[in-house]
Amino acid sequence: MLELLAPGALRFFVTTMGSTSISSLHEASATTVISMSTNHAPGQAVASTSAQPSATSPPVTQDLPEDLLAAGWCKCWSRREKRPYYFNRFTNQSLWEVPTTVQHDSISDPLGLNAAPVGSPRTTDDSAPRKRSSTEEPTAGLKRGRSEDVTPITPVTPAPRICKVTTEAPFASPTSKHKAPLVAFPVFWNLEVPSNVVAREMPPYLLFPPHPEAELCRAQLTARLRQHYQELCQQREGIDAPRESFNRWMLERKVRDRGTDPMLPSDCEPAVSPSMFREILNDIPIRLSRIKHREDAKRQLFKYAEAAKRMIESRNATPDSRKIVKWNVEDTFNWLRKELSATKEDYLERLDHLRQQCGPHLADVAKESVEGICAKLYHLACEYAQRVRSRHLEILRECNLPPDEVDSVTTSCMEERAVPCHPARLRLPEAPLPRVDLHVESEQACLRHRGEVVRVNQNYLAKLEQLYRLNCTDDSRFEKFLPRVWCMLRRYQTMFGLGAHEGLGLHGALPVSVFEALHRHFDVTFECFASPLNCYFAQYCSAFPDTDGYFGSRGTVLDLFPASGSFEVNPPFGEELMNSMVDHFENLLAASTEPLSFVVFVPEWRDPATPALLRMEESCFKRRQLLVLPFEHEYRHGAQHVCRSEELHIRALHGTAILFLQNDAAYARWGPTPERIRALLEAYRPQGRAPQPAGPADGTAGGDEAGGEESTAPSSAGGTTGSIETGGKLSERKESSDDEWV
Ligand code: SAH
């Protein structure tokens, strides 16, 4: 270990293994030392009294057997109790007693998933291995976890439907001086479900820990990027930037990106994004809006013909293209003049014909300029990502931390051993975090940093507090909690946009009852696509390991390599992301002989069909496929953490396909039997709520302009608004080969 002595009498450690980083210590005196454990949660140091004993701590010798060390155990020293204890860096479990290796029945439970983790103590009255929930009362010999240091503000019983929350937070906040009365809030999660996922050990991410100043810089530059995009589309193509295409562009870019920023793309190929290119072309020469009446259809046909003519005349088209487009446009005008009694269907048919005839020629003339928009945006994003990085380095410098260290930190190789999955960790140094103030306004928690306010409903702040307590290992006093929540909320705001209803379709969630059924009947304990705000389980993958790891994120789904476990999968609907997801799952399923199961929920788009859906339908791992009909099921609002409770459930306008991808071992254990399927579909039935009024959510539903491109403009698995109440019959489609409906 290389020891650095920073000005201000704070001491830091950097491991020479390259597996950890520098971190700051807020709490300690000048002589307090923090040891850097590579496996503690997100890139953080764990204030430890062990590896580097303080003046009062005797040295602790690491005399644990090899198998315990491999299982993540290390010996530490408790200053408070003045005796050694044992800490597991994978599970965050702490014990007073020497952990013991538990034997388990390798036939009925080959991975030992139902056994206590290696090293769990046997209780005196029950020698059989058993799981230990994080909320169990500590029994004799068990050291209390971090919850001892903070006042829990949420109850920790399984599947709570209501939690009692005080506005007094356990973390330092200006409002915490006054103890508010207990308030009951509904909860939409169950953070008590233990994970059954065993995955390849994940190296720490080479990302900076979040900092409000850097986050603000990223937010401002991203807003500028959105603005540039709108201007480029207007100036070059005379159209508005396609709805949500910027958000989908970021999702698509991050599938390929190897750059330094967790959000802004800065190192991916090709520079021209296929998804953005497709979406812009789709709106050329005009964006078609939802057609409700005959007059709408007539007007749109006319507008399309006019715009096509204008475009082909003003651009550099081949004589042939020009001739074909002009001829078709003239033909349409003549038809419009003649057919005065045409119906809506006639107009739609004609519009379709015109698009087919002119589309390829218009795409040819627009191609170069649309590619120019995509490339320009990507290069701006690279420049902005660099600026955010510079801001991070500047912050380190301002705090007298050595920014040069950052360049010498490199990624470590992927570890080959399998471990219980653990929260994402970070590698780069963290600067001290500035103050963030908390106050409550209209039942929402408002977090303010330098006049910039982010909001979250109080029950969700309590959820974040609980996730933080379960996952964050470097901040037992919650001193960094508010700045970290601020950064995470700001990140999602920046990612999904600030417009009314913007981005909602990209992170709608399944109903709680469906999660309950998935857990009860398929032993699902993990969400592949989530955020700290919309997760149901405490273990999940998310888009941003840097902001979300403190709240339990296991990193992005494409970085997770599970060998076993049962997963729920509700991806944001971006073609590239979903395609990469299918590749990833197929590789994982082929590689593992342990039970590995993915229950996937995607919209049933058929016109044209989503490639990822088609591929899953043809997969040799597909065990069963169901269809839940449009209007007969719901999603939870994409902004569930800030919306009003009456807005929470949204009727789906599209059907949802449910696919079970399982290897043989998972099929034997969690196969989709008729009883399980029945229970799952029953859970999908809307729970007697009044339907929500329609309103635009993304490019496929809602307002007048939204629906025309339903078949081509991607939407999300996360649902859109809908308002039609129907009988609530749920349908199931069997294996696609027989295409049978029951
Ligand atoms: N967890 C809920 C909601 C899913 S919405 C459910 O399963 O029903 C899709 C979520 O995927 C969003 O929160 C989005 O932020 C997240 N996401 C986007 N890209 C991701 C990635 N690469 N890995 C994991 N999650 C991702």
Side-chain angles (χ1 to χ4, degrees):
M1 275 195 164
L2 158 73
E3 189 180 345
L4 306 167
L5 195 56
L10 296 181
R11 287 160 93 202
F12 306 94
F13 282 88
V14 182
T15 62
T16 49
M17 308 293 282
S19 52
T20 336
S21 56
I22 307 170
S23 181
S24 64
L25 179 68
H26 288 256
E27 52 183 55
S29 67
T31 54
T32 307
V33 171
I34 52 172
S35 83
M36 309 302 302
S37 161
T38 58
N39 289 295
H40 281 295
Q44 301 307 325
V46 172
S48 159
T49 52
S50 56
Q52 296 296 327
S54 71
T56 54
S57 316
V60 177
T61 40
Q62 294 298 333
D63 51 3
L64 291 178
E66 202 46 41
D67 59 342
L68 289 180
L69 290 172
W73 289 101
C74 62
K75 195 171 173 183
C76 307
W77 180 259
S78 165
R79 250 187 309 190
R80 197 179 330 163
E81 299 280 332
K82 300 197 175 35
R83 58 173 166 145
Y85 68 94
Y86 302 88
F87 177 76
N88 189 303
R89 58 207 166 97
F90 302 142
T91 61
N92 287 340
Q93 196 181 359
S94 306
L95 303 174
W96 288 121
E97 291 168 352
V98 184
T100 53
T101 309
V102 174
Q103 302 299 317
H104 65 273
D105 179 354
S106 59
I107 294 172
S108 67
D109 185 16
L111 279 172
L113 296 177
N114 292 321
V118 174
S120 288
R122 290 163 200 240
T123 53
T124 45
D125 57 345
D126 176 13
S127 58
R130 66 184 192 101
K131 290 183 199 162
R132 181 176 175 266
S133 127
S134 57
T135 58
E136 281 179 67
E137 279 305 306
T139 53
L142 285 179
K143 181 179 159 63
R144 289 205 48 172
R146 284 180 305 285
S147 54
E148 189 180 59
D149 304 326
V150 294
T151 318
I153 58 169
T154 50
V156 285
T157 46
R161 311 293 298 189
I162 296 286
C163 72
K164 292 199 174 142
V165 181
T166 69
T167 48
E168 183 199 47
F171 33 85
S173 89
T175 55
S176 63
K177 287 180 210 113
H178 310 287
K179 203 177 181 92
L182 282 176
V183 188
F185 286 121
V187 296
F188 305 98
W189 46 86
N190 182 356
L191 308 181
E192 296 311 305
V193 174
S195 155
N196 60 14
V197 173
V198 172
R200 199 192 289 174
E201 187 174 6
M202 256 204 289
Y205 280 90
L206 207 59
L207 293 170
F208 283 106
H211 190 285
E213 285 301 315
E215 206 52 52
L216 208 51
C217 172
R218 184 180 286 110
Q220 284 159 354
L221 291 172
T222 308
R224 203 179 295 171
L225 201 58
R226 285 179 189 275
Q227 181 66 27
H228 277 304
Y229 179 42
Q230 168 65 14
E231 285 166 9
L232 285 167
C233 287
Q234 270 297 345
Q235 285 159 9
R236 299 197 184 180
E237 303 305 330
I239 56 167
D240 282 337
R243 196 189 295 262
E244 302 283 358
S245 60
F246 184 90
N247 298 334
R248 274 189 288 266
W249 173 72
M250 290 216 278
L251 283 178
E252 180 260 342
R253 296 276 86 185
K254 288 317 281 181
V255 173
R256 303 150 192 260
D257 194 55
R258 293 173 306 275
T260 55
D261 195 87
M263 199 187 84
L264 291 165
S266 59
D267 182 8
C268 49
E269 293 201 338
V272 175
S273 146
S275 83
M276 181 173 270
F277 180 77
R278 262 193 327 263
E279 292 200 45
I280 300 176
L281 267 194
N282 197 51
D283 278 6
I284 284 176
I286 59 165
R287 174 192 292 170
L288 295 174
S289 53
R290 170 171 290 186
I291 292 168
K292 284 188 194 141
H293 308 293
R294 175 180 174 274
E295 282 311 303
D296 297 337
K298 183 178 177 186
R299 198 175 317 117
Q300 291 220 23
L301 176 59
F302 185 78
K303 274 176 141 183
Y304 186 96
E306 260 194 332
K309 184 171 175 225
R310 229 182 4 254
M311 188 168 170
I312 210 76
E313 281 173 348
S314 60
R315 305 279 184 103
N316 199 9
T318 62
D320 268 0
S321 286
R322 193 163 286 157
K323 206 160 89 191
I324 294 170
V325 171
K326 285 177 100 168
W327 188 89
N328 275 288
V329 168
E330 274 317 307
D331 190 42
T332 305
F333 285 149
N334 288 337
W335 183 85
L336 277 165
R337 273 192 290 272
K338 241 178 24 216
E339 295 294 325
L340 297 175
S341 55
T343 63
K344 174 180 154 190
E345 284 66 36
D346 295 333
Y347 288 122
L348 286 179
E349 203 178 298
R350 195 72 209 195
L351 177 59
D352 206 33
H353 173 75
L354 185 61
R355 289 185 76 196
Q356 273 178 24
Q357 297 302 312
C358 299
H361 301 283
L362 299 176
D364 267 357
V365 292
K367 184 170 179 281
E368 219 171 286
S369 125
V370 174
E371 282 176 350
I373 296 177
C374 300
K376 170 102 187 164
L377 208 69
Y378 170 64
H379 291 122
L380 276 172
C382 295
E383 186 191 319
Y384 290 174
Q386 194 49 47
R387 280 209 229 168
V388 178
R389 183 179 164 82
S390 304
R391 184 74 189 102
H392 267 295
L393 293 173
E394 204 176 289
I395 293 166
L396 289 180
R397 224 171 283 120
E398 283 162 9
C399 309
N400 294 323
L401 288 163
D404 304 346
E405 294 288 335
V406 171
D407 295 326
S408 60
V409 183
T410 52
T411 4
S412 56
C413 306
M414 183 68 98
E415 302 279 354
E416 280 305 323
R417 62 184 173 164
V419 295
C421 71
H422 54 82
R425 295 162 284 136
L426 306 177
R427 262 268 173 91
L428 299 182
E430 181 183 38
L433 296 172
R435 178 193 168 105
V436 165
D437 294 328
L438 169 72
H439 70 276
V440 175
E441 222 174 71
S442 319
E443 296 183 8
Q444 272 189 336
C446 305
L447 284 75
R448 182 189 299 270
H449 165 66
R450 288 211 299 128
E452 291 274 333
V453 177
V454 290
R455 290 164 200 278
V456 63
N457 290 344
Q458 282 188 76
N459 49 340
Y460 283 80
L461 185 64
K463 175 195 189 189
L464 293 174
E465 185 267 342
Q466 198 178 347
L467 283 171
Y468 195 75
R469 186 152 32 82
L470 289 170
N471 294 290
C472 175
T473 51
D474 73 334
D475 187 26
S476 60
R477 297 154 71 101
F478 277 64
E479 284 160 336
K480 304 177 190 177
F481 176 69
L482 288 179
R484 285 173 176 169
V485 172
W486 190 94
C487 289
M488 186 269 293
L489 289 171
R490 192 67 217 235
R491 175 71 59 80
Y492 279 98
Q493 218 179 54
T494 307
M495 170 79 181
F496 291 116
L498 288 169
H501 304 293
E502 199 180 348
L504 299 187
L506 294 170
H507 51 158
L510 301 184
V512 168
S513 52
V514 173
F515 276 112
E516 283 169 350
L518 286 170
H519 175 52
R520 191 170 311 129
H521 303 287
F522 297 93
D523 214 5
V524 170
T525 66
F526 194 110
E527 281 151 280
C528 287
F529 291 91
S531 73
L533 301 163
N534 65 32
C535 65
Y536 174 81
F537 299 112
Q539 45 280 333
Y540 57 90
C541 283
S542 77
F544 305 122
D546 62 329
T547 48
D548 303 349
Y550 305 106
F551 305 99
S553 166
R554 269 60 175 164
T556 73
V557 69
L558 301 176
D559 294 334
L560 183 78
F561 290 83
S564 67
S566 182
F567 297 83
E568 176 267 356
V569 186
N570 174 15
F573 191 73
E575 219 165 90
E576 284 74 15
L577 178 56
M578 286 174 64
N579 256 331
S580 307
M581 170 197 92
V582 176
D583 287 339
H584 189 54
F585 290 172
E586 295 240 307
N587 290 338
L588 294 170
L589 286 162
S592 180
T593 51
E594 306 297 344
L596 187 60
S597 165
F598 300 96
V599 187
V600 186
F601 299 76
V602 286
E604 171 85 6
W605 303 122
R606 291 286 170 191
D607 186 20
T610 322
L613 176 56
L614 293 179
R615 289 184 53 209
M616 285 191 285
E617 284 178 332
E618 280 149 26
S619 167
C620 60
F621 297 106
K622 192 194 84 176
R623 304 293 172 165
R624 189 140 196 178
Q625 179 171 356
L626 312 171
L627 172 68
V628 191
L629 294 179
F631 304 115
E632 301 189 358
H633 64 296
E634 296 174 329
Y635 281 91
R636 268 179 301 145
H637 201 290
Q640 55 175 288
H641 59 288
V642 280
C643 77
R644 294 195 308 270
S645 56
E646 60 274 21
E647 295 170 335
L648 185 67
H649 293 97
I650 291 167
R651 205 52 66 91
L653 287 187
H654 53 75
T656 292
I658 309 175
L659 297 107
F660 293 82
L661 305 181
Q662 300 178 322
N663 62 6
D664 289 344
Y667 185 56
R669 186 180 286 194
W670 303 308
T673 60
E675 305 76 54
R676 288 176 179 152
I677 294 297
R678 210 170 302 124
L680 177 62
L681 291 178
E682 187 55 38
Y684 235 131
R685 200 182 288 279
Q687 317 273 304
R689 286 178 286 265
Q692 282 306 297
D698 68 7
T700 62
D704 273 0
E705 294 198 79
E709 296 308 298
E710 192 158 301
S711 59
T712 45
S715 177
S716 94
T720 55
T721 52
S723 63
I724 298 177
E725 178 80 282
T726 59
K729 183 177 140 293
L730 295 167
S731 293
E732 173 186 0
R733 190 166 65 172
K734 285 188 174 169
E735 314 277 334
S736 59
S737 52
D738 19 337
D739 239 22
E740 188 186 330
W741 295 75
V742 289

